[in-house]
Amino acid sequence: MNAQTIKPPAATRTGVSLNSIAGETWSARVRFAIFTATTGIVLTESVVGAYWDLARTQYVVDTFAVLEYPMYFATILGVAKLLAVAALLVPRFPRLKEWAYAGLVFVYVGAAASHLAVGDPAAKWVGPLFFTAFTLASWALRAPARRDPEPLSAIPVIAALTRD
């Protein structure tokens, strides 16, 4: 029996290929895997960080004392992280997800800058920069269907301000 007489598997005969289920190409599957991993890291850190902020663990209390931040700021950060997690997990609402990603980037860059400002060693400010990178990777690797179909640059006033 030659290759021309062999029927394709049932999955391809019905119009649904195995590649369309797992991702159209190998690179799409790799992209999805990296997106899933980075998003999982960001969500886990945000949930754990929110718990630590809201529970005011000794680590948070000590860190805020070194940074000379008031403790109510931990409550604000904890609530903001929980809202970002909810926004990233809820289906649809791409603009809300954009703001959640932006908020998390502000949190992590702010944390790194705060540690640098008080002269903390690299061990204190490198971590937030890694979480910034994971957040940006998760944002950049989202599927096109999950992106904002009309970014802010499509708004005429903003487009006019950003033109050369």
Side-chain angles (χ1 to χ4, degrees):
M1 198 182 235
N2 64 29
Q4 294 174 347
T5 61
I6 297 174
K7 289 185 177 181
T12 58
R13 283 193 309 244
T14 61
V16 177
S17 72
L18 295 177
N19 281 344
S20 68
I21 294 169
E24 294 194 8
T25 63
W26 183 81
S27 63
R29 289 190 297 265
V30 170
R31 179 186 178 122
F32 179 74
I34 295 171
F35 165 76
T36 302
T38 57
T39 303
I41 291 168
V42 169
L43 292 174
T44 301
E45 193 288 328
S46 296
V47 169
V48 171
Y51 171 75
W52 284 13
D53 290 342
L54 295 173
R56 304 212 175 157
T57 63
Q58 192 59 48
Y59 175 79
V60 170
V61 171
D62 294 345
T63 301
F64 273 55
V66 169
L67 298 175
E68 298 181 8
Y69 285 152
M71 282 311 300
Y72 67 82
F73 192 55
T75 304
I76 294 168
L77 287 174
V79 170
K81 289 175 187 176
L82 287 178
L83 291 173
V85 167
L88 294 177
L89 289 176
V90 70
R92 289 178 253 142
F93 304 105
R95 176 88 34 98
L96 184 62
K97 291 179 191 315
E98 293 277 337
W99 284 99
Y101 279 117
L104 290 174
V105 168
F106 294 151
V107 165
Y108 301 136
V109 170
S114 296
H115 286 293
L116 281 167
V118 297
D120 278 344
K124 293 286 188 176
W125 53 264
V126 168
L129 292 181
F130 275 118
F131 287 119
T132 302
F134 288 132
T135 303
L136 292 172
S138 174
W139 172 80
L141 293 171
R142 290 169 301 144
R146 295 183 178 190
R147 296 175 185 220
D148 191 353
E150 188 176 324
L152 291 177
S153 62
I155 298 172
V157 173
I158 295 174
L161 293 174
T162 58
R163 270 192 226 135
D164 291 331

